[in-house]
Structures are given as structure tokens and as C-alpha cells.
Amino acid sequence: MPTRRSPLSSLAQTWLFGLLMLLGLPALAFELSQVQAGFPDATRLADAEGELPATAVYAGETLLGYAFETQDITPIPAYSGKPINLLVGIDLEGRITQATILGHEEPIMLVGIPEQRLVDYADAHATHHVNQRLRVGENLDAISGATVTVVVLTETVMRAARRVAAEQGLIDDPLATPPAEVRHDVFEPAAWETLVGDGSVRRMHLTHGEIDEAFIGTAAEAYASGADPDSTFIDLYVTYLNAPTTGRNLLGDVVYEQMMERLEEGEHAIGVMARGDYSFKGSGYVRGGIFDRLELSQGNTNVTFHDSDHRRIVRLAVDGAPALTERDIFVIRENARFDPGEPWELGLLVRRAAGPLETEFVRFNAHYSIPEAYIERPEPLVEEALWVQVWRDKTFQIVVLGVGLVVLTAVMLFQDVLVRYPRVFAPLRVGFLVYTVVFIGWYSLAQLSVVNILTFVHSLMGGFSWESFLIDPMMFILWSFVAVTLLMWGRGVFCGWLCPFGAMQELINKAARKLKVPQLEIPFALHERLWAIKYIILLALFAVSLHSLGQAERYAEVEPFKTAVTMRFQRDWAFLLYALGLLAISAFTHKAYCRYVCPLGAGLAIPARLRLFDWLKRHRGSCGTPCQICANECEVQAIHPDGRINANECHYCLDCQVTYHDDRRCPPMVKRRKRFEKAARASSGASGDLSPANAAQGSQANLQRIPTLQEE
């Protein structure tokens, strides 16, 4: 009859299980069914040995490979500032068997690009070897509009797979420090006493008494030799012979050269010398056998020596050496991966009878560290940051963007000169707008967004990482430039020159005006109140982001940037209709979206109030009262009726500055020109010579008496 468990018993078991979990008992984060996508024959999972949180995948008792989550090994920040988590499997040959996305918060994928495209991209990593260099656009097909996301995904998968494969011994550790190199140019003549004194030769002296103490408590304790406890059991000397100071001094030049010629690439020779009652070679050693009393250890590697690894030293060439009965060279082969710069030890096994047919043994270690003067240590390998690789791969885009920003900086610095030459300035501005749309927007996909502002604010609130911003060099350079120009001139430099969607609207409006398309002029009173809409949208997005950044990124689709620029109009019809509608409106009302809706412009206008310079010139006492030319011609209506320029709404197109210096349209300049011409005529009439040369001289003479603009 089955036993019925009480509710209290079930509750106690549940509580005990939870307690054991809290105490750190291992639990698998993924299930067998998930791993079977990469290992169809898998029947069970088990914790893998090592420090990395990997899981061994078995089919019965047969090991198939390893599976792991990337966020536990390589949490590389992606575009959102948070890592992409994948379940990755690798087989015993070091090949990727699966790369399954478990979670991400990439804004480009939340709305716009179908999720399946990212899933398919991750699956494409399967069958590639972990040591293979995968590049987006070469081995893997890129996803248009999600360059940063896919680059981070690939690096996350491959870097985590290499680390697990290296730890499990499937590949060589790519981050392992290269072995030290012996400096063959370093040699100092030295006697035996000097070599022993500076550590070039290490000594291990054991007495019979020390051996007897080592066997106390074992079955061999009763089989002591009975020798004098203070007498020498073995006096052992160990050295590294590849270094010229030890090798040449001990062996002599001829023998040393012969030894080095016989050593293959990656092989090393050690010298073992001894005297006393115990032989490190042993009387049982025969040709073709193993030296069973010696074992070299370095790290997790143990090396035993065969007869083919052994050479006798006929005599020592060094002065002052003691009478040593055993003098031998042992060769460490290349497969041991021996590093002469790392400490190692030579183990001596001492055997003693423990009965008629039984023996006991005790190990004694002679420790050795090479003097630093004999070697040269390479710089330890450091895994290159992903953003460094991305910057190197985008050298061309960075250079072209840098040239464009230098040109724009020159325009800003020398604006007072350029605006005096409209025939030069007008095509320069149109050309730069085309460069912004084509290169910055469609080619480099470097459209800034309010999402960047929200992400930056949240990173400051916790978990700030430079790498997440450096991962996209074009965006980082643009944001850095915009940050500087905000303090110098305000938001207008970006909104009027560097925003691809804003440049599209302006180019469309310019074409519409050329085609005589009627323009809708909004009354200034209404226009001034519509400014508030974009600030309300910005505050609403920020409030939503405090609850859920992902949700705020969805609502940030109020920006048509992703549709028109990042995805080049390749989206669902609803998004496409919205973006095209805003561009169509710009043909009738100049940059309506930028003026009234854009939350990015609102986000830039707030810090722009700290700008240091105000270089836009106005005629005191004339602009606004009575002259309204600039105010009527300002296409974004950033000039108040009283003549003041609202820097928070100005797009820095510099059209008002062109008018400011135009002595055919600007009333103060027209007045100044007429006074100049009148003075020139008066001067020419007084002299009675109306020749052009004298008229010019008279003009120059009277020019000094004309008040300057500031005086007016």
C-alpha cells in the first residue's frame, strides 16, 4: 500500500531543496531538450571540470561536448549596453554545434528587423571551428541596420567558445603567455661555487636520518638501513643547461655546442648530478626502459625520462666542482611545452622494502627557478577589446567622417567670412547635406537617436561602461563632436548639418521651393506653442524608460530615423507610410518634424543652454523693429518678431547671416552702402575729376568717417 505524504512533509522537502540551492549546490541553467538542438544524441548533462561555468553533454557514458551560456563567460555589452545571451555548444573537435539566442535587449530588434533574422544569423555560427576568424560580411551574412548587434553576437559566441575549448583541452589556450626565451647572448665565466651561490645550480642534500623520518608511520619504517643518521643519503644538484652561463661553464664549449645542435626546436636539457649512497638512476635501469626514480613537474605537466632522453656527462669542465659519481643530461621534449621561465621541480622517488614482496616510496622535490638574467620574458597576451577591432575595421568610415567634421568645424569657425560669399556658401551647404544623408546616414548608419540619450542616462544611473559606447566608432565620434558643439554653438550644428533625416527634409524642401510648391506658413504665436510638443514627448519617453527601457525604445519609434535611415525604407508599410508622410509634409512646411515632434532635438536643446558663444550677428536697433526680413525668411522660424534668435530652435543654417551681410537686401547694410556711394560721389565731384581711379581714391579717403555697424 503506497504511503501518503502529509502537506507538512512536502513543505519541509520543498524548503530543504530551496536551502540546498541557496547553499550553492550546482544547478543547470538550461535543459537537456535545449542542448539537443546541437547534440541530437544527448541523454544527460553534468557539470564540466574547470573554473568556467560549462556543462558536459553525454550520450550514455560517452562525452559528446560542452554547452554553456555566453553571459556567464563573455558578457560583452551590445548596442543596448547589455550583453546578448546565447546557449552555445561545442563538440570534442572544437566545432560549434549550436548558437541559440536565449535573450537580448537590442532596440534595433525590438521593432523593425524581424527576430527570425537574428536567430538565423546566430545559427549560422554552427559547424565553424572555434579558432576560425569569422567576419561579418565575409563568413557570415550581415543584417542591414544591425551592424553593431551582429558584430557583438559573433564576438560573444567565438570568444566564449574559445575559452571553454581551451580550458577543456580541445585547443591551445589563445591567452596563454608565450614561454620565456633563453638569452643566448648572456654568458659569464663562473666557477662551481658561483653557480651554486647565484641559483644557477640548485642543491638538495638528504641524510639517512631524514629518509628514516620520512618513512615513519609506513610499513617500511621497520626496514631502516641502520646507517649513521648524519651521513649523506644523496647529495643532488640540478641545473638548466640551455642557458650559456650554466651550460658552457659546466660542459665546456665543445660539448655545449654539440648538445645544442642535437636539441630540436622547443626542446630543453637539464643537468642532474649527484653523489652518496642512493642513485637517482637506479640499478634496475636497463636500455629501453624508463628512469623510474626521477620525474620533472611544471604546473600540471609531469615529465618522465626514457633512455632516448639521456646523455652522460663524461666530465665537468667547471672549476671547483665536487667529486660527483653521477653526471647526466636529460632532454625535455617539445610536447611537454616546457617553459624555462616558470619554476619547476625534479622529484626524486626513494623506495624501501615494506615486506618480502611489498615496497613503499617517498618523494623528495628539488625546486628550480632560473635566474632572470638568463631569460627574456615576452609580454603577456591580453585579449583585444572588441571596440578596438571594430575601430580598426572601420578605418575608412572614420577617416571620411573625420574629414567631414573638420570641414564643418571650419565652416563654424569662419562663418563670418563664408556668408559674405553666397555663391560659395550655398553649394557648400547643399553638398554637405547630401554628404550627411548618403554617407553619415545610409552608408555608415550613424543616425543619432533619442534612444542613445536614454541609454546613456540609464548607464550613468548604474553599470556605466565605455565599451558599450565605443563599440560603434561612427556614433561615438558623432556624439563626441555634438557634445563639443553643444557647448560651443548649441544644438543647431547637429540639427542643421549632421542629422540625416533633417538633411533629407531640408533637401526636399529646397527642391519643392525650386518647383514653386506653395509653402504653409504657421503663425508665430501658434508656432511658438507647438515647440512644446517635442519636450513633452521627450519627458514621456524618459518617464517610460524609468519603468522599462525596452518599452521606451519601442515608443521611440516616434522617430522615423530607423525607417528612413538605418533600414533605408525597408520596413513594414505602417512605418514606411509614417516616414514618407513626414518627408512629404516637409515639402510644404520646412522641417515640421524637427521643429515640433523630434525628441532628440529637445534632448539636445536642454544642455545647449550652457553654450559658450553666440556668434550670430544682429543689427542693434534695426533687426525686428522695423526690419522683419530675416524673421520672415528663417525657414525654421527661430527668429522672434522682435529680432531675437532663439538658440534652442535655431538650426544654424546661417541664412540670416548671409542676409546680414547683403547690402542689397538688409536695410542697415543698404543704408550703409548708399552712404558710402554718396560719399564717393561727393569726393569725386569736389575734385572735379570723375575718373574711376580718383573716385576709388575718394571712396577710400571718406570711408574712415563712416560709422561701424556696432556704432550704428
Side-chain angles (χ1 to χ4, degrees):
M1 180 176 180
T3 303
R4 181 177 297 176
R5 292 183 299 178
S6 67
L8 183 61
S9 175
S10 300
L11 180 62
Q13 290 185 8
T14 302
W15 178 84
L16 180 61
F17 176 76
L19 178 61
L20 292 175
M21 294 296 291
L22 290 175
L23 291 177
L25 289 182
L28 300 176
F30 43 84
E31 299 177 353
L32 178 63
S33 58
Q34 294 175 281
V35 176
Q36 286 175 334
F39 300 96
D41 299 329
T43 58
R44 67 184 181 92
L45 304 176
D47 290 331
E49 295 182 358
E51 297 181 0
L52 296 177
T55 299
V57 183
Y58 288 89
E61 297 302 318
T62 303
L63 178 64
L64 300 178
Y66 301 91
F68 49 89
E69 290 190 36
T70 57
Q71 69 177 4
D72 299 328
I73 301 172
T74 53
I76 303 174
Y79 189 85
S80 64
K82 298 180 180 179
I84 302 171
N85 188 30
L86 299 102
L87 173 60
V88 178
I90 56 174
D91 62 21
L92 299 182
E93 295 182 356
R95 293 193 174 276
I96 298 173
T97 60
Q98 73 176 110
T100 305
I101 297 176
L102 298 180
H104 71 86
E105 296 187 27
E106 293 301 275
I108 192 68
M109 309 303 299
L110 294 177
V111 179
I113 299 176
E115 186 75 19
Q116 188 60 40
R117 294 192 62 185
L118 192 63
V119 172
D120 295 340
Y121 178 83
D123 291 340
H125 291 76
T127 73
H128 290 287
H129 194 273
V130 297
N131 277 336
Q132 191 170 349
R133 177 63 174 169
L134 298 184
R135 290 182 177 272
V136 178
E138 295 180 7
N139 319 84
L140 301 169
D141 294 332
I143 299 178
S144 178
T147 305
V148 173
T149 299
V150 297
V151 167
V152 171
L153 188 150
T154 293
E155 192 67 16
T156 298
V157 171
M158 301 308 294
R159 190 174 291 187
R162 281 194 294 269
R163 289 183 180 178
V164 173
E167 184 177 67
Q168 299 302 328
L170 306 181
I171 62 171
D172 293 334
D173 189 353
L175 297 181
T177 303
E181 298 287 339
V182 176
R183 296 185 60 183
H184 294 283
D185 59 330
V186 174
F187 172 74
E188 291 289 339
W192 176 266
E193 183 178 355
T194 303
L195 294 176
V196 174
D198 65 9
S200 300
V201 177
R202 300 296 175 96
R203 181 189 186 194
M204 182 176 68
H205 182 264
L206 298 174
T207 65
H208 281 276
E210 292 172 328
I211 300 301
D212 291 340
E213 289 181 8
F215 282 101
I216 293 177
T218 69
E221 180 180 356
Y223 291 82
S225 64
D228 181 2
D230 295 329
S231 62
T232 298
F233 179 77
I234 187 171
D235 192 13
L236 182 73
Y237 297 88
V238 179
T239 188
Y240 177 72
L241 294 174
N242 288 46
T245 300
T246 54
R248 288 188 182 277
N249 281 309
L250 291 173
L251 306 178
D253 292 340
V254 175
V255 178
Y256 175 77
E257 295 293 346
Q258 292 175 349
M259 180 194 72
M260 294 302 294
E261 288 177 2
R262 292 176 181 176
L263 293 178
E264 300 292 339
E265 182 74 22
E267 293 183 342
H268 305 266
I270 64 170
V272 184
M273 301 155 285
R275 61 182 177 178
D277 298 335
Y278 189 75
S279 169
F280 61 75
K281 289 188 292 187
S283 58
Y285 164 71
V286 294
R287 187 172 183 81
I290 299 175
F291 292 89
D292 60 355
R293 295 187 178 182
L294 289 179
E295 185 181 57
L296 183 143
S297 300
Q298 185 180 64
N300 296 324
T301 303
N302 296 321
V303 180
T304 56
F305 299 103
H306 297 71
D307 67 320
S308 58
D309 306 324
H310 171 251
R311 300 285 187 276
R312 290 185 64 248
I313 301 175
V314 178
R315 68 178 184 84
L316 293 175
V318 65
D319 295 334
L324 301 170
T325 56
E326 292 181 312
R327 303 175 300 275
D328 297 274
I329 298 174
F330 293 92
V331 178
I332 305 171
R333 300 302 178 182
E334 188 272 338
N335 58 7
R337 306 295 176 88
F338 180 78
D339 185 350
E342 294 298 316
W344 53 275
E345 56 189 34
L346 186 69
L348 176 69
L349 298 180
V350 178
R351 295 181 181 273
R352 176 180 285 185
L357 300 176
E358 298 179 357
T359 60
E360 293 280 348
F361 68 87
V362 176
R363 179 185 177 114
F364 297 88
N365 294 314
H367 299 275
Y368 189 90
S369 295
I370 193 169
E372 288 294 323
Y374 298 167
I375 58 171
E376 183 175 358
R377 296 186 184 275
E379 291 292 329
L381 294 177
V382 179
E383 198 165 39
E384 187 177 49
L386 177 58
W387 70 268
V388 176
Q389 302 175 26
V390 175
W391 280 62
R392 183 171 54 248
D393 293 340
K394 292 193 174 184
T395 302
F396 171 75
Q397 292 97 314
I398 292 172
V399 170
V400 176
L401 178 62
V403 171
L405 296 182
V406 168
V407 171
L408 180 56
T409 302
V411 170
M412 293 296 107
L413 292 176
F414 302 103
Q415 56 183 272
D416 289 338
V417 177
L418 283 172
V419 294
R420 295 173 186 267
Y421 303 95
R423 293 185 178 180
V424 175
F425 177 73
L428 172 64
R429 174 159 173 76
V430 172
F432 200 94
L433 293 175
V434 172
Y435 159 84
T436 297
V437 173
V438 176
F439 177 77
I440 295 180
W442 290 335
Y443 181 78
S444 300
L445 307 180
Q447 169 72 66
L448 304 188
S449 167
V450 71
V451 173
N452 304 130
I453 297 179
L454 297 177
T455 303
F456 179 74
V457 172
H458 278 262
S459 68
L460 292 178
M461 294 167 62
F464 181 83
S465 171
W466 277 111
E467 186 173 357
S468 61
F469 297 98
L470 290 167
I471 200 70
D472 190 336
M474 303 296 286
M475 299 287 278
F476 181 82
I477 293 172
L478 271 175
W479 271 117
S480 300
F481 184 82
V482 169
V484 174
T485 56
L486 282 178
L487 294 177
M488 297 283 285
W489 300 290
R491 63 169 278 211
V493 177
F494 169 76
C495 295
W497 295 81
L498 292 174
C499 178
F501 190 75
M504 286 185 202
Q505 295 178 85
E506 184 160 349
L507 291 172
I508 290 173
N509 187 262
K510 286 182 179 293
R513 289 174 184 267
K514 289 284 186 182
L515 296 174
K516 308 298 184 182
V517 174
Q519 299 296 301
L520 175 62
E521 299 295 337
I522 299 176
F524 189 83
L526 175 61
H527 164 73
E528 191 175 21
R529 284 156 179 76
L530 292 176
W531 282 342
I533 296 176
K534 58 179 176 287
Y535 294 97
I536 295 173
I537 295 175
L538 174 65
L539 293 175
L541 289 175
F542 180 71
V544 173
S545 73
L546 295 177
H547 172 69
S548 171
L549 181 59
Q551 194 68 24
E553 290 167 348
R554 292 178 182 272
Y555 290 141
E557 284 291 332
V558 68
E559 293 179 328
F561 304 158
K562 189 184 298 184
T563 301
V565 180
T566 308
M567 301 188 70
R568 306 185 186 97
F569 297 103
Q570 299 177 11
R571 292 194 75 180
D572 294 338
W573 66 269
F575 296 103
L576 193 62
L577 186 63
Y578 175 63
L580 292 176
L582 291 177
L583 292 175
I585 291 174
S586 68
F588 302 93
T589 301
H590 184 79
K591 301 177 82 168
Y593 169 81
C594 298
R595 289 193 278 172
Y596 308 128
V597 182
C598 182
L600 175 61
L604 296 178
I606 295 173
R609 298 185 66 86
L610 301 175
R611 68 186 182 281
L612 302 175
F613 303 107
D614 192 1
W615 289 359
L616 299 180
K617 291 182 170 54
R618 312 299 288 149
H619 292 290
R620 241 181 308 171
S622 297
C623 292
T625 306
C627 180
Q628 293 287 323
I629 293 178
C630 290
N632 292 331
E633 293 185 351
C634 179
E635 296 173 340
V636 296
Q637 293 180 268
I639 302 178
H640 287 259
D642 61 5
R644 292 181 297 109
I645 297 177
N646 188 335
N648 291 335
E649 303 299 326
C650 175
H651 287 198
Y652 233 94
C653 64
L654 299 179
D655 286 348
C656 62
Q657 300 304 289
V658 173
T659 303
Y660 175 93
H661 291 283
D662 191 343
D663 60 4
R664 298 290 174 179
R665 298 177 63 245
C666 179
M669 294 300 293
V670 171
K671 179 180 177 182
R672 183 173 184 269
R673 176 180 57 81
K674 290 181 176 180
R675 292 176 59 188
F676 177 86
E677 292 174 348
K678 181 178 180 181
R681 286 195 299 270
S683 176
S684 299
S687 63
D689 185 359
L690 298 179
S691 65
N694 288 338
Q697 292 176 0
S699 299
Q700 293 294 332
N702 288 277
L703 184 60
Q704 303 295 332
R705 297 191 297 272
I706 297 177
T708 63
L709 296 178
Q710 286 74 15
E711 291 173 338
E712 292 175 356

